[in-house]
Amino acid sequence: MHVCVHFVCMSVCVLCTGTYMLQSLAGKPCIKATMGAEYIVIEKKKTWYFNLDPSRVRTSGYCGKESALLSVTLILGFLNQSLYFCPQENNVSYVTKLSARVSPLPVYKTYSGLLDHYKLFTTANGQSFKCKSDSLLLMSSELRIKLVHLQMQAFTLPNGQYGEEVECWADFNKRVVPIVIGATVVGFILITVLTLLFIKDRRSQGYDRL
């Protein structure tokens, strides 16, 4: 059984994309994230889908030199998602921890999950991570998160704008694999044609000697 519930956009099972930004104490943008989020709850033989409405959430968190946190919470408190960013010595930043909590009214139960000690969405300083493909994260046995139209950047955000985009592997594969397959097919056809021409030429030479 599949049930779609919205905190959200009124059309059926539509994922809304929102942009969330956090500023430092100095008033400078330090985290920016654009994404659509679908929270998938698996309870016994039922699957519930909860889509996040950007117009009904509030952002919070902090920005520091060693770490940064962006937390997105539904105004009514039914849902919370937190992204913990961490910089590396070689000017690379990534999400080291992602937590989520969903307390949907139709189910009357809290589902939570945590991905810790990971290096998710890695980029160099001043660059933004971007992924057009869906990103499905297994938070726990009962909770999954699907992120769509994802783009994020932390620590360095000149004028609050995204920097140079770093393409995710899923997008890279979707773009490159068809090209490789096409080139392989063309190469195979070319080899076949050349082989047939070579065989035909050899046969013609044999006929001339007779």
Side-chain angles (χ1 to χ4, degrees):
M1 179 178 180
H2 300 274
V3 181
C4 183
V5 180
H6 301 275
F7 292 132
V8 315
C9 322
M10 299 306 295
S11 56
V12 178
C13 292
V14 170
L15 287 180
C16 302
T17 301
T19 297
Y20 313 96
M21 185 178 294
L22 193 67
Q23 294 183 339
S24 65
L25 294 177
K28 295 182 179 180
C30 62
I31 301 178
K32 185 177 182 180
T34 300
M35 60 184 173
E38 181 178 65
Y39 302 85
I40 305 170
V41 173
I42 302 173
E43 175 71 16
K44 297 179 180 178
K45 294 185 178 181
K46 294 182 180 180
T47 302
W48 299 78
Y49 297 87
F50 303 93
N51 299 342
L52 182 64
D53 183 357
S55 67
R56 299 185 182 183
V57 302
R58 58 181 174 83
T59 58
S60 60
Y62 63 84
C63 297
K65 293 182 179 180
E66 301 299 327
S67 63
L69 166 67
L70 173 64
S71 184
V72 179
T73 305
L74 192 69
I75 293 176
L76 296 179
F78 299 138
L79 184 150
N80 173 266
Q81 177 180 320
S82 298
L83 299 165
Y84 296 83
F85 294 85
C86 182
Q88 274 188 329
E89 295 179 356
N90 54 354
N91 292 324
V92 174
S93 64
Y94 53 87
V95 173
T96 183
K97 182 165 63 175
L98 192 154
S99 64
R101 176 182 57 83
V102 181
S103 302
L105 286 179
V107 185
Y108 296 101
K109 181 179 177 180
T110 297
Y111 302 89
S112 60
L114 174 66
L115 297 179
D116 200 359
H117 302 294
Y118 281 78
K119 292 184 179 180
L120 304 172
F121 319 130
T122 302
T123 61
N125 186 31
Q127 295 181 333
S128 65
F129 178 91
K130 187 172 184 179
C131 196
K132 298 178 182 178
S133 303
D134 296 351
S135 300
L136 185 62
L137 304 174
L138 180 61
M139 305 300 297
S140 68
S141 60
E142 296 178 320
L143 178 62
R144 299 175 183 177
I145 299 178
K146 183 170 73 173
L147 301 178
V148 300
H149 308 300
L150 178 64
Q151 187 171 9
M152 61 176 59
Q153 185 172 338
F155 300 108
T156 303
L157 273 162
N159 300 318
Q161 301 299 316
Y162 285 122
E164 180 184 356
E165 298 173 358
V166 175
E167 187 178 39
C168 67
W169 275 108
D171 288 354
F172 176 80
N173 289 333
K174 284 184 178 180
R175 179 172 56 85
V176 173
V177 169
I179 297 175
V180 173
I181 294 176
T184 302
V185 171
V186 171
F188 177 77
I189 294 174
L190 182 60
I191 292 173
T192 302
V193 171
L194 292 176
T195 301
L196 292 175
L197 290 175
F198 177 76
I199 294 173
K200 182 178 180 181
D201 182 65
R202 290 293 299 272
R203 288 179 176 177
S204 297
Q205 292 178 5
Y207 293 147
D208 291 340
R209 285 195 295 269
L210 292 175

